[in-house]
Amino acid sequence: MSTVNLAALLLLGLLLVMPQQSMQASLIDPIAEIERSNCKIAHLRLGLVFTSDVNERALQDSGLYSPDSEDSSVDIAGRRFHSGTLNGSSIVYVKTGSPSVNMATTLQILLARFSIHGVIYFGNAGSLDKKTMVPGDVSVPQAVAFTGVWNWKKFGSEKGKLVFGDFNYPENGENLLGTVEYEKINMFSPSEAPKEVFWLPITTSWYDAATKALKDMKLRKCYSDKCLPGKPKVVFGSKSSTSDFYVRNKAYGDFLNDNFDAKIADTASASVALTSLSNEKLFVVFQGVSNVAGETSSDSGVSYLASYNAFLAATKFINSIPTPRLACE
């Protein structure tokens, strides 16, 4: 069963086990109801999602986030959703956890329970091409794909795209693992019939807005006593690979780069894309590069810098776009 279908089943199960009263209450965002009743905030919020404690620490350390009140968070299905402002822009943020099934489930709850204009994801990722991106850089991809949905072929049957025998060492040859074909995924939408897709495009208007807002952005080079060897940069227009495993292996990283032109890999961005597209929401992705496939893993200082730089890029983007207003009731 694919990761995407599993996420849908988890969410359905969550709704089915709720008592009727609780289920009705779950369809109302208590924070938004308070705001509307007091006519304090009459506009849609932006949804900010990320997966890890490191990402949340970057947000908190920045000093740019202010909660709406002392009691501006709500727990839903074990996830904590926070309502506040990010450098003046109204947001709801949530740490989703990984792998991608948790991202998809949590994001679906966010979109079902809160008045969200669009979704911004920031997090860590690995570079598959160090000529393009190195640790500390930030990627703003133009398309993402699930590259962990496989049809593992029977040994001796027709060949798939990934042939394990091609990676035998020291010489290529037959391998009992056989071959793998990469599968498309089903995408559902309120306004279209279900269709099979591989690449999921970032919302064009938001991608264009990001390229303008971050064109000359200066990223952070040092954290505590740890400094990057070069000047970090923002890279636009790449393709990103998502799967439920971290790509540390150089040979497989090269395979993804050579066959799909994927320059970066993570465990969440395609879930953000699929869930946002299925709900017809705007979305954009910011990935902080924390390592390069095949090279020594970066230490915690570099990983934090990558996360912080991705957060800074996400914040600058958020502050650059308008949010539609709602009629105050």
Side-chain angles (χ1 to χ4, degrees), residues 1 3 5 10 27 30 41 43 75 135 149 168 296 317:
M1 179 180 294
T3 299
N5 290 336
L10 284 173
L27 299 178
I41 298 177
H43 53 260
D75 292 343
V149 184
N168 285 356
T296 303
F317 168 79

Side-chain angles (χ1 to χ4, degrees), residues 32-253:
E33 287 301 303
I34 292 171
E35 291 171 346
R36 291 191 188 108
S37 65
N38 292 328
C39 269
K40 289 180 179 178
I41 298 177
H43 53 260
L44 293 168
R45 291 176 181 267
L46 296 169
L48 181 65
V49 294
F50 48 82
T51 63
S52 72
D53 291 339
V54 173
N55 302 148
E56 188 167 31
R57 183 157 65 91
L59 180 149
Q60 297 292 351
D61 288 351
S62 72
L64 298 175
Y65 175 76
S66 300
D68 284 340
S69 66
E70 292 183 1
D71 187 24
S72 60
S73 63
V74 59
D75 292 343
I76 308 171
R79 284 89 166 170
R80 180 158 294 179
F81 298 79
H82 303 264
S83 173
T85 57
L86 185 61
N87 202 28
S89 298
S90 295
I91 67 165
V92 176
Y93 88 75
V94 59
K95 179 178 67 178
T96 68
S98 58
S100 59
V101 63
N102 276 322
M103 172 58 76
T105 303
T106 307
L107 180 52
Q108 186 61 50
I109 295 170
L110 174 69
L111 296 178
R113 293 287 303 274
F114 295 84
S115 299
I116 299 296
H117 174 52
V119 179
I120 298 93
Y121 166 75
F122 82 91
N124 292 61
S127 172
L128 304 179
D129 181 3
K130 66 179 181 181
K131 293 180 181 178
T132 304
M133 282 175 274
V134 295
D137 291 345
V138 173
S139 170
V140 186
Q142 203 163 8
V144 298
F146 283 104
T147 55
V149 184
W150 289 0
N151 178 356
W152 207 317
K153 302 288 187 177
K154 180 181 178 181
F155 180 72
S157 67
E158 72 277 13
K159 287 188 177 181
K161 184 178 285 290
L162 174 60
V163 181
F164 287 100
D166 290 347
F167 298 89
N168 285 356
Y169 183 82
E171 295 181 359
N172 297 345
E174 289 294 319
N175 189 304
L176 291 176
L177 291 176
T179 68
V180 162
E181 190 58 67
Y182 288 77
E183 296 280 275
K184 294 181 178 180
I185 56 174
N186 293 320
M187 188 175 78
F188 299 86
S189 166
S191 59
E192 295 182 83
K195 59 183 178 181
E196 289 190 339
V197 298
F198 187 79
W199 289 109
L200 302 164
I202 306 299
T203 302
T204 301
S205 60
W206 271 20
Y207 173 79
D208 291 343
T211 60
K212 294 176 182 177
L214 309 181
K215 182 179 179 182
D216 300 312
M217 184 177 183
K218 293 182 180 179
L219 300 173
R220 190 168 175 175
K221 184 177 179 180
C222 297
Y223 168 68
S224 186
D225 59 348
K226 182 69 178 182
C227 289
L228 300 168
K231 181 180 177 181
K233 61 187 181 297
V234 181
V235 179
F236 300 100
S238 60
K239 290 182 177 179
S240 176
S241 157
T242 291
S243 61
D244 283 332
F245 47 83
Y246 292 99
V247 180
R248 306 292 193 193
N249 183 276
K250 185 180 186 305
Y252 187 62

